[in-house]
DNA sequence: AGCATTACCCGCACGC
DNA sequence: TGCGTGCGGGTAATGC
């Protein structure tokens, strides 16, 4: 389910405990179960059991859309891709509890961490050095050290369509289709606008829009737009994403959509004009 | 040649 | 029932 707000919501739940489950922090691993072998990208199950057994979860965090579970001696790195989910559940046995459960971490407490993933795109890595697992990633839009001037420089030095550029994780890390669409709408920038001709003022507005949309999404526990992800309600506040044919909230013009880099983009043809 | 950008593709559930 | 679609990104292909 992952864009940054959904990943943040999942992490927050695991850290604080949710739906009667305890926090994941401090849980001691007693073993794993693996129902879809491709899920585990780095080792065979026997090696992983040996590597993880007896270790405790020290912390949970994220880098871009990657979830990092810090253990005593290594890291568990998780990417949920399109349809993955992580949940704490009691009494996870040797058989999967829900359809599409792919991987369990069993804890000494009797609770377990389940990795559920209908589309089988998600992956789990184990490494003492997460940086060696992660691909080249751009700055996080929520990182306060990213300022308008450097964002402007990033945009104008690239000469690419804004929509696919914002979703390029090596350019900016954590933004996907929903929140890039919403941010461009809020900033009144066309999804196909060439980034080379973005003004400083526009860059500042776009960065602020990205932050507003992401923070608002986090505050609403993410977006539950289809069967993939439940629990969030940010879909109630979307203004452009999947609004094709509906009137623009600002000017009443019907929202249109187009496809760029294999991904759909929704925009107001009147508010979001292309320019040099 | 070498870097930057784009297209294909991976399982599956869902809605028209 | 069949078919298009998709909250992602690695890798191959192509472009500059």
């Amino acid at each position: 389910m992952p864009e940054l707000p959904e990943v943040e919501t999942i992490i927050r739940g695991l850290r604080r405990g949710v739906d009667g489950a305890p926090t994941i922090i401090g849980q001691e691993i007693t073993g794993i179960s693996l129902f879809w072998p491709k899920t585990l990208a780095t080792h065979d199950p026997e090696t992983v059991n040996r590597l993880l057994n007896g270790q405790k979860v020290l912390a949970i965090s994220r880098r871009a859309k990657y979830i990092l579970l810090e253990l005593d001696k290594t890291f568990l790195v998780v990417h949920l891709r399109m349809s993955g989910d992580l949940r704490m559940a009691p009494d996870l046995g040797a058989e999967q509890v829900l359809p599409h459960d792919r991987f369990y971490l069993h804890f000494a407490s009797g609770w377990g961490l389940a990795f559920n993933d209908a589309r089988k795109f998600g992956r789990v890595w184990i490494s003492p050095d997460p940086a060696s697992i992660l691909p080249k990633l751009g700055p996080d839009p929520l990182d306060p050290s990213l300022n308008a001037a450097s964002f402007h420089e990033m945009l104008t030095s690239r000469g690419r369509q804004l929509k696919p550029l914002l979703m390029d994780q090596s350019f900016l890390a954590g933004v996907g289709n929903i929140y890039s669409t919403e941010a461009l709408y809020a900033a009144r920038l066309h999804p196909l606008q060439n980034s080379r001709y973005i003004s400083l003022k526009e860059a500042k507005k776009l960065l602020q829009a990205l932050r507003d949309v992401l923070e608002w999404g986090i505050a609403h526990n993410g977006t539950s737009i289809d069967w993939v992800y439940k629990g969030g309600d940010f879909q109630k506040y979307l203004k452009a994403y999947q609004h094709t044919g509906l009137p623009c909230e600002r000017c009443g013009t019907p929202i249109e959509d187009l496809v760029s880099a294999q991904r759909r983009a929704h925009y107001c043809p009147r508010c979001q004009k292309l320019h040099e």
Side-chain angles (χ1 to χ4, degrees):
Chain A
M1 358 211 156
E3 279 191 50
L4 187 155
E6 291 74 35
V7 169
E8 282 281 341
T9 301
I10 289 167
I11 289 174
R12 183 202 296 144
L14 292 174
R15 189 182 287 143
R16 295 180 182 172
V18 69
D19 296 334
T23 175
I24 197 171
I25 307 301
Q27 297 281 342
E28 181 184 341
I29 296 169
T30 56
I32 69 157
S33 296
L34 183 61
F35 308 115
W36 182 250
K38 284 180 72 173
T39 303
L40 195 49
T42 44
H43 301 78
D44 61 274
E46 292 72 27
T47 308
V48 170
N49 267 307
R50 184 165 46 73
L51 273 174
L52 301 185
N53 220 315
Q55 291 195 60
K56 286 183 178 172
V57 179
L58 301 183
I60 182 168
S61 61
R62 73 166 178 87
R63 172 76 177 100
K65 304 173 191 174
Y66 292 81
I67 296 170
L68 307 177
L69 272 181
E70 185 184 355
L71 310 178
D72 292 314
K73 298 173 187 168
T74 193
F75 285 83
L76 209 65
V77 180
V78 178
H79 200 299
L80 303 172
R81 292 283 182 95
M82 292 285 272
S83 60
D85 189 20
L86 289 175
R87 71 176 198 278
M88 289 288 279
D91 303 319
L92 292 170
E95 300 298 324
Q96 64 183 92
V97 173
L98 290 183
H100 317 304
D101 277 350
R102 308 300 180 193
F103 181 90
Y104 292 156
L105 271 187
H106 302 288
F107 297 126
S109 63
W111 290 81
L113 180 68
F115 174 47
N116 188 282
D117 183 23
R119 293 180 68 178
K120 298 179 176 173
F121 289 167
R123 292 292 181 269
V124 175
W125 299 260
I126 291 158
S127 168
D129 177 25
S132 68
I133 299 293
L134 303 179
K136 177 180 181 290
L137 293 167
D140 195 298
L142 295 185
D143 183 344
S145 70
L146 176 62
N147 60 45
S150 57
F151 188 52
H152 181 239
E153 167 62 22
M154 285 166 60
L155 289 164
T156 55
S157 65
R158 283 282 197 115
R160 260 178 95 181
Q161 296 177 340
L162 283 179
K163 185 64 172 21
L165 185 57
L166 292 178
M167 289 194 295
D168 182 338
Q169 302 300 296
S170 70
F171 176 78
L172 197 63
V175 181
N177 207 15
I178 295 177
Y179 298 93
S180 59
T181 295
E182 291 300 308
L184 288 169
Y185 175 86
R188 303 188 185 223
L189 291 166
H190 194 285
L192 303 186
Q193 170 65 44
N194 188 319
S195 66
R196 189 170 307 283
Y197 308 116
I198 291 297
S199 68
L200 176 59
K201 189 176 175 184
E202 287 172 325
K204 186 175 180 180
K205 199 169 172 182
L206 179 54
L207 180 58
Q208 190 58 52
L210 282 162
R211 287 173 169 165
D212 288 347
V213 159
L214 292 170
E215 284 171 3
W216 200 13
I218 292 169
H220 285 273
N221 299 320
T223 304
S224 304
I225 206 70
D226 56 26
W227 58 275
V228 171
Y229 175 79
K230 315 284 183 215
D233 70 343
F234 190 59
Q235 66 276 10
K236 292 194 293 191
Y237 305 94
L238 297 176
K239 298 179 186 304
Y241 185 78
Q242 290 192 347
H243 278 221
T244 306
L246 298 174
C248 168
E249 196 175 273
R250 292 185 296 242
C251 73
T253 304
I255 298 292
E256 295 181 4
D257 66 71
L258 53 80
V259 174
S260 170
Q262 284 71 245
R263 310 304 295 275
R264 191 163 301 277
H266 311 78
Y267 66 104
C268 171
R270 183 169 175 185
C271 295
Q272 296 167 266
K273 294 283 195 193
L274 280 168
H275 69 78
E276 272 257 310

